[in-house]
Structure formats: structure tokens, C-alpha cells
Amino acid sequence: MFAALRTEGIHPWLLDLGGGFPTALDAQCPPPEAYGAAIERHLADAFGEDRPTTIAEPGRGIAAEAGVLHASVIGVVHRAGTRWVFLDAGVFTGLIETLDEAIRYPLATDVAGPTGPCVLAGPTCDSADVLYERVPVELPLALAEGDRVRFHCAGVYTATYSSVGFNGFAPLATAVRS
């Protein structure tokens, strides 16, 4: 695109790289330096000495670890031999990026003891309000109603995805600590 514009006498000076820099949701996420090196290599290959100024929106890569979504267990049931854990936060209350298990947030709880697989679901009666079913999550077998589950790396979009009530559920409460 830059070469085509330059042949027309237009000399663009800025390239927006967009966003989408990841955060360490799992051990497979390369460090930020790896992305920087790849971008640098491709810019050098594409532009040589005529490199434009670049900008980027790091999004999740810079803000995800700044937030933790706290959810409470509202029910644990067994369906056809599968343990289902229902939370007061779900797909429609801040965790929309779990649809199709696109993002698998690191989970934590203070409940001790052995763990086992479970399907994790939200509070609404909507059949799509299931966070993790295809690949169940490991949570303590003693997890019960009232216990808390924390979603780490949730500091980017969860609060904005829950900016209005859905099916009578209030938006996520947000607390900021310094």
C-alpha cells in the first residue's frame, strides 16, 4: 500500500499497527519482547531506510494483569456425571470473551484440597452462558455455594462488557485500588 501510494506522489509517514498484543493467559504466550522483535524485523524488511513512524494500541498486553474479576459460586450441580459450577458472573456479565472458549482466563480460589474437572457457567438462564465446557476447568472438589473464584488477567474489557444489566443482573461492580 505504501509503495502504491508513493508512486502516486503521496508519501504516508505513519503506520498504525493496530492492537491485539496478548497477555500471559497461559504458558504458551511469548513475552512482549518477542512481538517487538518480530515487528521490528518485518518493518525493516518491508520499508528498509524509508520506514514510517509506527503506533500501536497494546490493549490487553498492557492492562490485563491490572484487573481481577471476582465471582461467587451460586450453585454446584451434577448433570449426567459432569460437575457444573455456576457463578454470579458469566458470558453476559463481563466474560463475553469466553464464548467458544476464545479466552481462557487463569482461575484461582482460596478453597483447598484436590481438584477435578467441571463445566463453568454463568448465572443467566441463557444456554450460551457457559464459559468453559468443551475443555473443562480444574477447580477444587470442595468448591461450594458462596465460595469465590477469581479470573486473573481480566483488566481490559470485562467491566465495559458488563456496562448494562442483562436479564435483570446488575453490571459488574468495579473497585479501584492504588
Side-chain angles (χ1 to χ4, degrees):
M1 177 62 73
F2 273 64
L5 289 170
R6 288 175 178 151
T7 63
E8 298 294 324
I10 301 170
H11 299 283
W13 60 272
L14 181 68
L15 175 61
D16 185 343
L17 299 173
F21 292 94
T23 191
L25 293 170
D26 59 34
Q28 298 175 10
C29 183
E33 297 81 10
Y35 291 92
I39 291 167
E40 186 63 36
R41 185 176 64 255
H42 289 290
L43 287 172
D45 289 348
F47 295 104
E49 295 295 318
D50 201 13
R51 179 180 166 163
T53 299
T54 57
I55 59 172
E57 189 277 305
R60 187 179 321 278
I62 200 169
E65 293 182 41
V68 177
L69 188 147
H70 291 256
S72 293
V73 175
I74 58 174
V76 178
V77 299
H78 293 271
R79 292 182 174 168
T82 301
R83 181 171 62 132
W84 284 66
V85 174
F86 291 89
L87 303 175
D88 65 353
V91 169
F92 303 106
T93 48
L95 295 165
I96 191 95
E97 291 182 308
T98 61
L99 274 176
D100 295 324
E101 302 185 24
I103 289 189
R104 295 193 62 91
Y105 292 97
L107 302 174
T109 181
D110 293 333
V111 176
T115 64
C118 67
V119 173
L120 201 55
T124 72
C125 59
D126 194 297
S127 63
D129 199 4
V130 178
L131 300 112
Y132 305 121
E133 180 177 19
R134 189 178 66 246
V135 180
V137 297
E138 286 284 321
L139 287 175
L141 295 172
L143 198 67
E145 186 176 326
D147 291 333
R148 309 276 288 178
V149 175
R150 295 182 303 280
F151 290 75
H152 290 272
C153 296
V156 181
Y157 306 112
T158 53
T160 58
Y161 284 147
S162 180
S163 59
V164 297
F166 177 82
N167 273 6
F169 293 91
L172 286 175
T174 303
V176 179
R177 295 189 180 134
S178 54

